[in-house]
Amino acid sequence: MAGLKKDHNCGELRITDCGKQITVMGWVQRRRDHGGLIFIDLRDRFGLLQVVFNPESGAETFSRAESVRNEYVLAITGVVGARPKGTVNANLTTGEVEVYATELRILNKAKTPPFYIEDNLEADEMVRLKYRYLDLRRPVMQQALILRHKIAFAMREFLNQRDFLEVETPILTKSSPEGARDYLVPSRVHPGEFYALPQSPQLFKQMLMVSGIEKYFQVARCFRDEDLRADRQPEFTQLDIEMSFVDREDILALMEEMMVYIFAKTMNTTIKTPFARLTYAEAMGVYGSDKPDLRFGLKLVDIGEIAAQSDFKVFASVVNNGGQVKGINAVGCAKYSRKEIDELTNFVAIFGAKGLAYIQMTEEGPKSPIAKFFIPEQLTAICQKMNAKTGDLLMFVADEPMVVAESLGHLRVEIAKREGLIDPEEFNFCWVVDFPLFEYNTDEKRWVAMHHPFTSPMEEDVKYLLSDPGKAKAKAYDMVLNGVELGGGSIRIYDKKVQEQMFAAISMDPAEARGKFGYLLDAFEYGAPPHGGIAFGLDRMTMLLAKKNTIRDVIAFPKTQSATCAMMQAPSLVDAKQLRELYIKTTVPEK
RNA sequence: GGAACUGUGGUGUAGCGGUUUAACAUGCCGGCCUGUCACGCCGGAGAUCGCGGGUUCGAUUCCCGUCAGUUCCGCCA
């Protein structure tokens, strides 16, 4: 930098700085060359600053300014001055001042970037990811990273104030049979053996409780080798928390306080506590989701009883076979065309619904292809139950409970989006509690833990662990924000006997349990305290607060949907020598 | 593993329901310009329309396959 020192940031200069001689460094946002007068907007992380070059700048400096192009890296020394009357730019925080350059050094030249370095650009995401270092120069991207930093910092601040200890846990760890697919790392020292990257620090944090840490947290990187989504990346960051000597209410209350703190520090807003609370059964029954979006209504209404008595065989037989018939009232949507209803029918088919029955509430009364199967009293009863008025559209799905929930649960969100029922400024939190302890896996023909196999059953349900697993409820809870699962946790098992029963319930024989989790069972014999915890998705939280549609926009270097890094071209083939050292032979089929 | 959508100069788009010199904006290059801030004006370069095959006299356009991206289902304790 040839002896120059950046003594001011571009974005920080104000009218009160007039007269100062300063040196700024940054990137050329734009050059406006008027022949005898050149303006350069210089950009750094803190903002934009207009620099003026005129003949008084000196011939050499002026001609150098003529050669400057976008994204060149410059060091400029000059004097801050007030802009002449009528040339103030209200769109810039530095719009009242400009710098009269006396010296210009080109610290580095730049090729023309493949896309504009500015907000609101609509470049192809693949191009943005390939040139992520340029994409991240855009102020909106930097704001997202800044917000992410503030959130993580507020978390640390809050937990530190509450006596929590941040402890790091291993990245090279042991593969576990339950849960997501593991990323594996071959061991050179132990031929044929593998480490796994952690899906979460779950067992380590429980061990830390046995160690007497009492209050632990970690901003932990987690890895799951599963397919990606807009809100799912193969590596992601969790705020992982665990506490000893607490019950569910202690944790929920503390986490609400933490969210209040985070929102105060990062969004400058006050959020209301306590959060709404729903049981899993309520959430599924009324909203068709275990992560309900409570910003709008469109609740699911059960019309099974009426449907069972109708002549509509499709409905009646579903009810008689233990299924459900439920509907939602899309208020004011009777205007929907046949085409739109077909679209919605295709939409619910994604979730397994075999059809979408509907009733349009017209001026002439209920109009529907299925109306003829109902006597007037039944139609009236349905309309009454669903609070239907002229202009509304009632839509129904009849199927097994899970299909009804999922299809109508997604449909209500789709209708809310189409009808603009969602206030984008609202942050609506709730807790979902009382999850089932198990769910039945039809492929593996066994019960599996819904949360994870270290989750404590409700005391009164311990007796069902082996006799009637489907009946057991868990001391588990999820925090939900605007229909997105922000975090989840549970009170853990700390009793060796209960833990052994748990393993037995998921059809893990004692020898296997010993082999996989022997250290946990051992630890429980040395004075394990009652404990529980929770983990939050930092990426998702940042996405919601930044009002982005994908977590890729709040991750510096995210993966594409096929789990590749567009910038580094990972994953990649490696040298045969590397494979030999690891005793690995690949068996990729020839195309 | 499956479904849908997308792929045209550097970037963002248009196009033709078969035959065009492939259009527009912006960016880029050159020239002019002392108050602009998405500066302006003049001129110029830049695309075998993702890839492969098929139909046809002729394909950017129609069909099939493939690759890549995105969204979703499955999967994600």
Side-chain angles (χ1 to χ4, degrees), chain A residues 395-432:
Chain A
M395 288 174 282
F396 307 91
V397 171
D399 217 303
E400 57 182 89
M402 211 56 186
V403 171
V404 170
E406 300 222 330
S407 51
L408 287 179
H410 284 94
L411 182 63
R412 71 179 277 277
V413 175
E414 176 66 18
I415 297 289
K417 280 183 187 161
R418 286 181 181 227
E419 294 300 305
L421 304 180
I422 299 172
D423 173 3
E425 298 303 315
E426 185 179 350
F427 289 104
N428 194 319
F429 287 91
C430 68
W431 289 105
V432 177

Short mmCIF file of all heavy atoms in Angstrom, two decimals, chain A residues 395-432:
data_model
loop_
_atom_site.label_atom_id
_atom_site.label_comp_id
_atom_site.label_asym_id
_atom_site.label_seq_id
_atom_site.Cartn_x
_atom_site.Cartn_y
_atom_site.Cartn_z
N MET A 395 -62.86 -26.86 0.46
CA MET A 395 -62.12 -27.95 -0.21
C MET A 395 -61.88 -29.08 0.79
O MET A 395 -61.57 -28.83 1.95
CB MET A 395 -60.80 -27.43 -0.75
CG MET A 395 -60.97 -26.53 -1.96
SD MET A 395 -59.43 -25.77 -2.52
CE MET A 395 -59.27 -24.49 -1.31
N PHE A 396 -62.02 -30.31 0.29
CA PHE A 396 -61.98 -31.48 1.17
C PHE A 396 -61.02 -32.54 0.67
O PHE A 396 -60.90 -32.76 -0.54
CB PHE A 396 -63.37 -32.11 1.28
CG PHE A 396 -64.44 -31.14 1.67
CD1 PHE A 396 -65.16 -30.46 0.69
CD2 PHE A 396 -64.71 -30.89 3.01
CE1 PHE A 396 -66.15 -29.55 1.05
CE2 PHE A 396 -65.69 -29.99 3.37
CZ PHE A 396 -66.41 -29.32 2.39
N VAL A 397 -60.40 -33.20 1.63
CA VAL A 397 -59.60 -34.38 1.31
C VAL A 397 -60.06 -35.50 2.23
O VAL A 397 -60.27 -35.29 3.43
CB VAL A 397 -58.09 -34.12 1.50
CG1 VAL A 397 -57.30 -35.43 1.38
CG2 VAL A 397 -57.59 -33.10 0.49
N ALA A 398 -60.24 -36.68 1.65
CA ALA A 398 -60.61 -37.86 2.42
C ALA A 398 -59.52 -38.90 2.25
O ALA A 398 -59.21 -39.29 1.12
CB ALA A 398 -61.95 -38.41 1.94
N ASP A 399 -58.93 -39.31 3.36
CA ASP A 399 -57.84 -40.28 3.25
C ASP A 399 -57.42 -40.71 4.65
O ASP A 399 -58.06 -40.35 5.64
CB ASP A 399 -56.65 -39.65 2.50
CG ASP A 399 -55.95 -40.66 1.60
OD1 ASP A 399 -55.51 -41.71 2.12
OD2 ASP A 399 -55.86 -40.40 0.38
N GLU A 400 -56.33 -41.45 4.72
CA GLU A 400 -55.80 -41.78 6.04
C GLU A 400 -55.33 -40.49 6.70
O GLU A 400 -54.96 -39.53 6.00
CB GLU A 400 -54.67 -42.80 5.92
CG GLU A 400 -53.52 -42.35 5.04
CD GLU A 400 -52.45 -43.41 4.90
OE1 GLU A 400 -52.54 -44.25 4.00
OE2 GLU A 400 -51.52 -43.37 5.72
N PRO A 401 -55.31 -40.43 8.03
CA PRO A 401 -55.08 -39.17 8.74
C PRO A 401 -53.81 -38.43 8.30
O PRO A 401 -53.82 -37.20 8.15
CB PRO A 401 -54.99 -39.60 10.20
CG PRO A 401 -55.84 -40.81 10.28
CD PRO A 401 -55.67 -41.52 8.97
N MET A 402 -52.74 -39.15 8.07
CA MET A 402 -51.48 -38.48 7.71
C MET A 402 -51.58 -37.79 6.35
O MET A 402 -51.06 -36.69 6.18
CB MET A 402 -50.35 -39.52 7.71
CG MET A 402 -49.01 -38.94 8.08
SD MET A 402 -49.07 -38.12 9.71
CE MET A 402 -47.43 -37.42 9.74
N VAL A 403 -52.24 -38.44 5.40
CA VAL A 403 -52.39 -37.84 4.07
C VAL A 403 -53.31 -36.62 4.14
O VAL A 403 -53.03 -35.58 3.53
CB VAL A 403 -52.93 -38.88 3.06
CG1 VAL A 403 -53.30 -38.21 1.74
CG2 VAL A 403 -51.91 -39.98 2.84
N VAL A 404 -54.39 -36.74 4.91
CA VAL A 404 -55.30 -35.60 5.09
C VAL A 404 -54.55 -34.42 5.68
O VAL A 404 -54.63 -33.29 5.18
CB VAL A 404 -56.48 -36.00 6.00
CG1 VAL A 404 -57.30 -34.77 6.39
CG2 VAL A 404 -57.37 -37.02 5.30
N ALA A 405 -53.77 -34.68 6.72
CA ALA A 405 -53.04 -33.61 7.39
C ALA A 405 -52.04 -32.96 6.45
O ALA A 405 -52.01 -31.74 6.29
CB ALA A 405 -52.33 -34.16 8.63
N GLU A 406 -51.23 -33.78 5.80
CA GLU A 406 -50.17 -33.21 4.97
C GLU A 406 -50.71 -32.47 3.76
O GLU A 406 -50.21 -31.41 3.41
CB GLU A 406 -49.22 -34.33 4.51
CG GLU A 406 -48.58 -35.03 5.70
CD GLU A 406 -47.11 -35.31 5.47
OE1 GLU A 406 -46.73 -35.51 4.31
OE2 GLU A 406 -46.36 -35.31 6.46
N SER A 407 -51.73 -33.04 3.12
CA SER A 407 -52.23 -32.37 1.91
C SER A 407 -52.96 -31.08 2.28
O SER A 407 -52.71 -30.04 1.67
CB SER A 407 -53.11 -33.31 1.09
OG SER A 407 -54.10 -33.89 1.91
N LEU A 408 -53.84 -31.14 3.28
CA LEU A 408 -54.55 -29.91 3.66
C LEU A 408 -53.62 -28.93 4.37
O LEU A 408 -53.77 -27.71 4.23
CB LEU A 408 -55.75 -30.25 4.54
CG LEU A 408 -56.94 -30.91 3.82
CD1 LEU A 408 -58.05 -31.22 4.80
CD2 LEU A 408 -57.46 -30.03 2.69
N GLY A 409 -52.66 -29.45 5.11
CA GLY A 409 -51.70 -28.58 5.79
C GLY A 409 -50.91 -27.75 4.79
O GLY A 409 -50.70 -26.55 4.99
N HIS A 410 -50.48 -28.39 3.69
CA HIS A 410 -49.77 -27.63 2.65
C HIS A 410 -50.73 -26.76 1.84
O HIS A 410 -50.37 -25.68 1.41
CB HIS A 410 -49.01 -28.59 1.74
CG HIS A 410 -47.74 -29.12 2.35
ND1 HIS A 410 -47.68 -30.32 3.02
CD2 HIS A 410 -46.49 -28.59 2.41
CE1 HIS A 410 -46.44 -30.52 3.45
NE2 HIS A 410 -45.71 -29.49 3.11
N LEU A 411 -51.96 -27.28 1.66
CA LEU A 411 -52.94 -26.51 0.88
C LEU A 411 -53.27 -25.18 1.56
O LEU A 411 -53.38 -24.15 0.90
CB LEU A 411 -54.22 -27.33 0.68
CG LEU A 411 -55.32 -26.68 -0.17
CD1 LEU A 411 -54.83 -26.44 -1.60
CD2 LEU A 411 -56.58 -27.52 -0.18
N ARG A 412 -53.38 -25.20 2.90
CA ARG A 412 -53.74 -23.96 3.58
C ARG A 412 -52.63 -22.92 3.43
O ARG A 412 -52.89 -21.73 3.27
CB ARG A 412 -54.11 -24.20 5.06
CG ARG A 412 -53.00 -24.56 5.99
CD ARG A 412 -53.52 -24.75 7.43
NE ARG A 412 -53.66 -23.49 8.16
CZ ARG A 412 -52.64 -22.88 8.79
NH1 ARG A 412 -51.43 -23.39 8.79
NH2 ARG A 412 -52.85 -21.75 9.44
N VAL A 413 -51.39 -23.39 3.39
CA VAL A 413 -50.28 -22.46 3.18
C VAL A 413 -50.31 -21.93 1.74
O VAL A 413 -50.12 -20.73 1.50
CB VAL A 413 -48.92 -23.16 3.45
CG1 VAL A 413 -47.76 -22.23 3.10
CG2 VAL A 413 -48.83 -23.61 4.90
N GLU A 414 -50.61 -22.82 0.80
CA GLU A 414 -50.68 -22.41 -0.61
C GLU A 414 -51.79 -21.37 -0.83
O GLU A 414 -51.58 -20.37 -1.51
CB GLU A 414 -50.93 -23.65 -1.47
CG GLU A 414 -51.12 -23.39 -2.96
CD GLU A 414 -49.89 -22.86 -3.65
OE1 GLU A 414 -48.78 -23.01 -3.09
OE2 GLU A 414 -50.03 -22.28 -4.75
N ILE A 415 -52.95 -21.63 -0.22
CA ILE A 415 -54.06 -20.67 -0.36
C ILE A 415 -53.69 -19.34 0.29
O ILE A 415 -53.93 -18.27 -0.29
CB ILE A 415 -55.34 -21.23 0.32
CG1 ILE A 415 -55.80 -22.52 -0.37
CG2 ILE A 415 -56.45 -20.18 0.33
CD1 ILE A 415 -56.38 -22.32 -1.75
N ALA A 416 -53.06 -19.40 1.45
CA ALA A 416 -52.67 -18.17 2.14
C ALA A 416 -51.72 -17.35 1.29
O ALA A 416 -51.81 -16.12 1.23
CB ALA A 416 -52.04 -18.51 3.49
N LYS A 417 -50.79 -18.04 0.61
CA LYS A 417 -49.86 -17.33 -0.28
C LYS A 417 -50.60 -16.71 -1.45
O LYS A 417 -50.40 -15.54 -1.77
CB LYS A 417 -48.80 -18.31 -0.81
CG LYS A 417 -47.69 -18.61 0.18
CD LYS A 417 -46.66 -19.53 -0.47
CE LYS A 417 -45.62 -19.99 0.54
NZ LYS A 417 -44.91 -21.20 0.06
N ARG A 418 -51.48 -17.51 -2.08
CA ARG A 418 -52.20 -17.01 -3.25
C ARG A 418 -53.07 -15.82 -2.89
O ARG A 418 -53.21 -14.90 -3.69
CB ARG A 418 -53.09 -18.11 -3.83
CG ARG A 418 -52.33 -19.19 -4.58
CD ARG A 418 -53.29 -20.22 -5.15
NE ARG A 418 -52.54 -21.26 -5.86
CZ ARG A 418 -52.86 -21.72 -7.06
NH1 ARG A 418 -53.91 -21.24 -7.69
NH2 ARG A 418 -52.14 -22.66 -7.64
N GLU A 419 -53.68 -15.87 -1.71
CA GLU A 419 -54.63 -14.84 -1.33
C GLU A 419 -53.99 -13.70 -0.54
O GLU A 419 -54.68 -12.80 -0.07
CB GLU A 419 -55.77 -15.46 -0.51
CG GLU A 419 -56.63 -16.43 -1.30
CD GLU A 419 -57.28 -15.76 -2.51
OE1 GLU A 419 -57.97 -14.74 -2.32
OE2 GLU A 419 -57.08 -16.25 -3.64
N GLY A 420 -52.68 -13.77 -0.35
CA GLY A 420 -52.00 -12.69 0.36
C GLY A 420 -52.42 -12.56 1.81
O GLY A 420 -52.56 -11.46 2.33
N LEU A 421 -52.66 -13.69 2.46
CA LEU A 421 -53.12 -13.66 3.86
C LEU A 421 -51.97 -13.55 4.85
O LEU A 421 -52.19 -13.48 6.06
CB LEU A 421 -53.93 -14.93 4.17
CG LEU A 421 -55.13 -15.22 3.27
CD1 LEU A 421 -55.82 -16.51 3.70
CD2 LEU A 421 -56.11 -14.05 3.29
N ILE A 422 -50.73 -13.58 4.34
CA ILE A 422 -49.59 -13.62 5.24
C ILE A 422 -48.95 -12.24 5.34
O ILE A 422 -48.59 -11.63 4.34
CB ILE A 422 -48.54 -14.64 4.74
CG1 ILE A 422 -49.16 -16.04 4.72
CG2 ILE A 422 -47.30 -14.62 5.63
CD1 ILE A 422 -48.29 -17.10 4.08
N ASP A 423 -48.84 -11.74 6.57
CA ASP A 423 -48.17 -10.47 6.81
C ASP A 423 -46.66 -10.73 6.87
O ASP A 423 -46.18 -11.37 7.81
CB ASP A 423 -48.66 -9.88 8.14
CG ASP A 423 -47.88 -8.63 8.53
OD1 ASP A 423 -47.00 -8.20 7.75
OD2 ASP A 423 -48.15 -8.10 9.62
N PRO A 424 -45.91 -10.25 5.89
CA PRO A 424 -44.48 -10.59 5.85
C PRO A 424 -43.68 -9.98 7.00
O PRO A 424 -42.56 -10.39 7.25
CB PRO A 424 -44.03 -10.01 4.49
CG PRO A 424 -45.03 -8.97 4.16
CD PRO A 424 -46.32 -9.40 4.77
N GLU A 425 -44.27 -9.02 7.69
CA GLU A 425 -43.55 -8.37 8.79
C GLU A 425 -43.75 -9.09 10.12
O GLU A 425 -43.08 -8.78 11.10
CB GLU A 425 -44.01 -6.91 8.94
CG GLU A 425 -43.75 -6.03 7.72
CD GLU A 425 -42.28 -6.02 7.33
OE1 GLU A 425 -41.43 -5.87 8.23
OE2 GLU A 425 -41.99 -6.17 6.12
N GLU A 426 -44.71 -10.03 10.14
CA GLU A 426 -45.05 -10.66 11.41
C GLU A 426 -44.07 -11.78 11.77
O GLU A 426 -43.61 -12.53 10.91
CB GLU A 426 -46.48 -11.23 11.34
CG GLU A 426 -46.96 -11.80 12.66
CD GLU A 426 -48.39 -12.33 12.57
OE1 GLU A 426 -49.07 -12.10 11.56
OE2 GLU A 426 -48.81 -12.99 13.54
N PHE A 427 -43.75 -11.87 13.05
CA PHE A 427 -42.98 -13.01 13.55
C PHE A 427 -43.87 -13.74 14.55
O PHE A 427 -44.12 -13.24 15.64
CB PHE A 427 -41.67 -12.56 14.21
CG PHE A 427 -40.67 -12.05 13.22
CD1 PHE A 427 -40.43 -10.69 13.10
CD2 PHE A 427 -39.97 -12.92 12.40
CE1 PHE A 427 -39.51 -10.21 12.18
CE2 PHE A 427 -39.05 -12.45 11.48
CZ PHE A 427 -38.82 -11.09 11.37
N ASN A 428 -44.36 -14.90 14.15
CA ASN A 428 -45.32 -15.62 14.98
C ASN A 428 -44.72 -16.93 15.49
O ASN A 428 -44.54 -17.89 14.76
CB ASN A 428 -46.59 -15.89 14.15
CG ASN A 428 -47.75 -16.32 15.03
OD1 ASN A 428 -47.55 -17.09 15.97
ND2 ASN A 428 -48.93 -15.81 14.74
N PHE A 429 -44.42 -16.89 16.79
CA PHE A 429 -43.78 -18.06 17.41
C PHE A 429 -44.81 -18.99 18.04
O PHE A 429 -45.86 -18.55 18.50
CB PHE A 429 -42.87 -17.61 18.56
CG PHE A 429 -41.62 -16.93 18.13
CD1 PHE A 429 -41.56 -15.55 17.96
CD2 PHE A 429 -40.47 -17.68 17.90
CE1 PHE A 429 -40.38 -14.94 17.59
CE2 PHE A 429 -39.28 -17.07 17.52
CZ PHE A 429 -39.24 -15.70 17.37
N CYS A 430 -44.48 -20.26 18.09
CA CYS A 430 -45.23 -21.16 18.96
C CYS A 430 -44.34 -22.34 19.34
O CYS A 430 -43.30 -22.58 18.73
CB CYS A 430 -46.51 -21.65 18.29
SG CYS A 430 -46.28 -22.74 16.90
N TRP A 431 -44.77 -23.02 20.39
CA TRP A 431 -44.14 -24.27 20.78
C TRP A 431 -45.07 -25.41 20.38
O TRP A 431 -46.28 -25.30 20.56
CB TRP A 431 -43.95 -24.35 22.30
CG TRP A 431 -42.90 -23.45 22.86
CD1 TRP A 431 -43.11 -22.30 23.55
CD2 TRP A 431 -41.48 -23.63 22.81
NE1 TRP A 431 -41.91 -21.74 23.94
CE2 TRP A 431 -40.89 -22.56 23.49
CE3 TRP A 431 -40.64 -24.60 22.24
CZ2 TRP A 431 -39.51 -22.41 23.64
CZ3 TRP A 431 -39.28 -24.46 22.39
CH2 TRP A 431 -38.72 -23.38 23.08
N VAL A 432 -44.51 -26.46 19.87
CA VAL A 432 -45.28 -27.69 19.69
C VAL A 432 -44.72 -28.69 20.69
O VAL A 432 -43.49 -28.90 20.75
CB VAL A 432 -45.17 -28.23 18.25
CG1 VAL A 432 -45.93 -29.55 18.11
CG2 VAL A 432 -45.74 -27.20 17.27
#
